[in-house]
């Protein structure tokens, strides 16, 4: 079976491929005869001048080029709406986090089923580096859907999970949401995707995707690699 790297990235990539193929095929069908007809029927003095001939159209052709594009539009619209619904609706077993953006950083809360915060990660502003200490990384389990509730403390930010190809505005006073799933453990970028002031270019976070057992241990605080690293870092 094909190994899927991330959702909804997979569906976006498929949708782009579908639209691209349809667009290129239509372009060729329209442009090639178009160029041919421009050449063949171009104006030549004494030939095919006004009044030379009369054309009453062709009902079959008219019907064909009305019905076929209508079908294409309906198919694309239905397919695209299905993709939209899938990427918008988090699977029921999704783990929930809440991310609050601020000038300039992120506060990530891990919520239990009752909506209580069980762990918090604060990613603070660093204008001089694109590295992050371990305990400022947003940790999530690999192969599990994650629903992120989003808001902001000041201006509008945007939470962009690069490997999952998904972004959503963080608006003060409002909770927006997105969901993603990354199947391959690793470290990935998160960026703010809405210009939010002079620190915007350093408003990033790292998404650390780990195997589920490792995530469970991290959440319980059994292996808080994070704090240990920070202490070591502070000693340097
Ligand atoms: Cu921002």
């Amino acid at each position: 079976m094909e190994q899927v790297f991330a959702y909804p990235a997979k569906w976006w990539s498929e949708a782009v491929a579908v639209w691209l193929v349809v667009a290129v095929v239509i372009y060729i069908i329209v442009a090639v005869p178009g160029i041919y007809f421009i050449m063949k029927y171009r104006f030549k003095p004494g030939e095919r001048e006004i009044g030379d001939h009369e054309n009453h159209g062709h009902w079959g052709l008219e019907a064909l080029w009305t019905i076929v594009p209508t079908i294409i539009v309906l198919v694309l619209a239905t397919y695209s709406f299905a993709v939209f619904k899938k990427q918008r609706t988090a699977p029921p077993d999704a783990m929930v986090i809440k991310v609050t953006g601020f000038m300039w950083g992120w506060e990530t809360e891990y919520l239990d089923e009752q909506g209580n915060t069980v762990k918090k990660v604060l990613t603070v502003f660093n204008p001089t580096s694109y590295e992050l200490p371990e305990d400022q990384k947003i940790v999530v389990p690999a192969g599990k859907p994650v629903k992120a509730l989003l808001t902001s403390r000041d201006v509008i930010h945007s939470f962009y999970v690069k490997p999952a190809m998904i972004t959503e505005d963080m608006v003060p006073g409002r909770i927006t949401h997105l969901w993603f799933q990354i199947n391959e453990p690793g470290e990935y970028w998160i960026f703010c995707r809405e210009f939010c002031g002079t620190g915007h270019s350093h408003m990033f976070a790292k998404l650390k995707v780990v195997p589920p057992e490792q995530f469970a241990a991290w959440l319980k605080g059994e292996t808080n690699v994070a704090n240990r690293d920070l202490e070591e870092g502070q000693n340097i």
Side-chain angles (χ1 to χ4, degrees), residues 17 125 173:
F125 183 55

Side-chain angles (χ1 to χ4, degrees), residues 101-106 154-158 170 192-197 199-200 203:
F102 55 89
M103 294 158 98
W104 291 276
W106 320 82
D154 34 52
V155 299
I156 298 175
H157 301 276
S158 179
M170 305 174 112
C192 176
R193 217 181 188 186
E194 186 80 53
F195 183 65
C196 55
H200 172 68
M203 186 167 168

Side-chain angles (χ1 to χ4, degrees), residues 62-183:
E62 293 282 354
L64 189 73
W65 65 50
T66 306
I67 292 165
V68 171
T70 305
I71 291 169
I72 293 172
V73 165
L74 288 177
V75 168
L76 280 181
T78 312
Y79 162 72
S80 301
F81 188 69
V83 172
F84 172 77
K85 282 283 279 184
K86 280 196 290 186
Q87 64 87 35
R88 198 63 202 144
T89 319
D93 60 331
M95 179 192 109
V96 183
I97 60 173
K98 182 182 176 192
V99 189
T100 307
F102 55 89
M103 294 158 98
W104 291 276
W106 320 82
E107 185 188 76
T108 307
E109 291 166 78
Y110 293 78
L111 308 181
D112 62 14
E113 270 99 75
Q114 286 75 46
N116 302 313
T117 304
V118 292
K119 192 163 183 133
K120 216 182 247 192
V121 170
L122 191 66
T123 312
V124 299
F125 183 55
N126 182 346
T128 55
S129 165
Y130 283 107
E131 298 296 326
L132 275 188
E134 277 299 305
D135 69 341
Q136 293 196 21
K137 291 173 182 167
I138 300 171
V139 182
V140 296
K144 285 228 160 205
V146 179
K147 180 177 184 177
L149 304 173
L150 311 166
T151 191
S152 165
R153 207 171 287 160
D154 34 52
V155 299
I156 298 175
H157 301 276
S158 179
F159 188 67
Y160 173 42
V161 186
K162 189 175 179 288
M165 288 175 152
I166 189 148
T167 191
E168 183 65 45
D169 277 0
M170 305 174 112
V171 184
R174 196 185 289 182
I175 309 266
T176 53
H177 64 91
L178 57 74
W179 79 272
F180 61 89
Q181 175 180 326
I182 294 158
N183 292 335

Side-chain angles (χ1 to χ4, degrees), residues 21-56:
V21 167
V22 172
V24 168
V25 169
I26 291 177
Y27 178 82
I28 290 168
I29 290 172
V30 173
V32 171
I35 292 165
Y36 171 73
F37 290 142
I38 285 170
M39 305 297 287
K40 184 171 162 61
Y41 297 112
R42 69 185 185 278
F43 175 74
K44 287 177 207 138
E47 223 181 273
R48 302 174 61 81
E49 287 186 340
I50 295 168
D52 251 14
H53 63 289
E54 279 185 22
N55 193 339
H56 297 289

